[in-house]
């Protein structure tokens, strides 16, 4: 799971950021050829751990989203579109607050806070990406709470196939998904993010 990642042209990605303070230093580590570097889940969790511990630097949470956007942009989709939410002046503070909410109150509260027109809503940031932020930012923060997971279009498609039930990107269905994933993970002796990864593959 942790090695799930991709090789990216980091210089080109960095130039797309509206502010260089949004660039995570972790993406400068290691190299393959030229300026291409691999970004995987392990790297994103490292960035998230740093962001979660730094309560002063509001840019750390924005750096986490930048890294997630670079990692998660689908093939064929311009990277600029995935990074566009960072162009808003309020984005760094709202990402920082969302990180506090998911780590303190849990993924369901954070989902509601980031939803359209809610208090932490960021224009252009939909559930496919903000649930990635919740997953990396909040996974394992509190064991007694539901663990945040990614719920993108592929996962929703798979949930429809696997459960034969209607699903959509909503706070209610996100909570339902977390319950299903926790139950399946318990039955199969694995973790919720392994379930998420399998659902993603089914829905591709």
């Amino acid at each position: 799971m942790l090695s799930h990642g991709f090789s990216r042209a980091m210089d080109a990605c960095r130039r797309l950021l509206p502010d260089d303070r949004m660039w995570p230093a972790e993406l400068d580590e290691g190299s393959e050829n030229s300026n291409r570097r691999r970004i995987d889940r392990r790297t994103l969790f490292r960035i998230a751990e740093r962001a979660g511990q730094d309560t002063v630097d509001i840019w750390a949470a924005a750096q986490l989203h930048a890294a997630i956007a670079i990692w998660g942009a689908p093939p064929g989709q311009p990277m600029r579109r995935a990074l566009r939410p960072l162009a808003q002046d309020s984005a760094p503070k709202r990402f920082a607050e969302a990180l506090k909410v998911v780590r303190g109150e849990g993924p369901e509260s954070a989902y509601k806070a980031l939803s359209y027109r809610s208090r932490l809503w960021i224009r252009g940031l939909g559930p496919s990406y903000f649930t990635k932020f919740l997953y990396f930012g909040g996974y394992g923060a509190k064991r007694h709470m539901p663990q945040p997971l990614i719920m993108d279009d592929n996962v929703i498609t798979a949930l429809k196939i696997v459960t034969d039930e209607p699903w959509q990107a909503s706070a209610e269905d996100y909570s339902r998904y977390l319950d299903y994933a926790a139950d399946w993970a318990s039955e199969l002796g694995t973790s919720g993010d392994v379930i998420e990864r399998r659902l993603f593959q089914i829905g591709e």
Side-chain angles (χ1 to χ4, degrees):
M1 277 296 296
L2 293 177
S3 63
H4 170 222
F6 311 93
S7 176
R8 303 294 194 202
M10 293 301 178
D11 286 354
C13 294
R14 187 168 188 164
R15 287 194 295 269
L16 294 175
L17 292 176
D19 191 308
D20 201 55
R21 287 173 291 184
M22 296 174 177
W23 182 256
E26 289 85 350
L27 299 190
D28 292 326
E29 299 171 2
S31 64
E32 295 173 11
N33 57 72
S34 182
N35 75 311
R36 295 191 70 86
R37 294 180 178 85
R38 183 172 176 80
I39 180 170
D40 54 23
R41 293 196 186 209
R42 182 179 287 104
T43 305
L44 294 173
F45 276 123
R46 286 175 53 212
I47 298 169
E49 182 179 8
R50 172 172 59 81
Q53 292 174 348
D54 194 337
T55 58
V56 178
D57 182 10
I58 65 166
W59 296 101
Q63 290 167 8
L64 175 58
H65 174 71
I68 289 168
I70 292 167
W71 171 80
Q77 176 178 301
M79 189 74 67
R80 188 181 304 277
R81 179 180 174 187
L83 293 168
R84 191 176 298 157
L86 290 170
Q88 295 167 70
D89 292 341
S90 61
K93 289 184 178 180
R94 291 193 177 187
F95 276 120
E97 183 60 28
L99 189 61
K100 292 178 185 177
V101 173
V102 71
R103 295 180 69 83
E105 301 175 29
E108 293 154 304
S109 293
Y111 190 107
K112 291 175 183 177
L114 283 165
S115 295
Y116 181 67
R117 297 295 187 186
S118 295
R119 67 185 182 92
L120 297 180
W121 173 62
I122 299 171
R123 187 182 301 276
L125 183 70
S128 285
Y129 270 96
F130 74 61
T131 57
K132 291 179 175 70
F133 183 85
L134 300 184
Y135 165 64
F136 287 107
Y139 197 84
K142 288 191 175 179
R143 296 294 180 184
H144 68 277
M145 293 192 303
Q147 295 301 307
L149 296 173
I150 298 168
M151 187 182 186
D152 59 13
D153 292 341
N154 288 324
V155 170
I156 290 174
T157 296
L159 286 167
K160 293 175 181 177
I161 294 169
V162 171
T163 67
D164 197 27
E165 298 172 3
W167 291 85
Q168 61 181 340
S170 68
E172 294 77 12
D173 279 4
Y174 186 63
S175 296
R176 186 160 60 108
Y177 160 53
L178 297 186
D179 288 341
Y180 265 105
D183 289 345
W184 290 333
S186 178
E187 291 172 7
L188 297 171
T190 189
S191 60
D193 54 355
V194 171
I195 298 297
E196 170 261 305
R197 177 64 178 145
R198 181 60 184 137
L199 288 170
F200 180 89
Q201 293 169 333
I202 292 172
E204 280 186 300

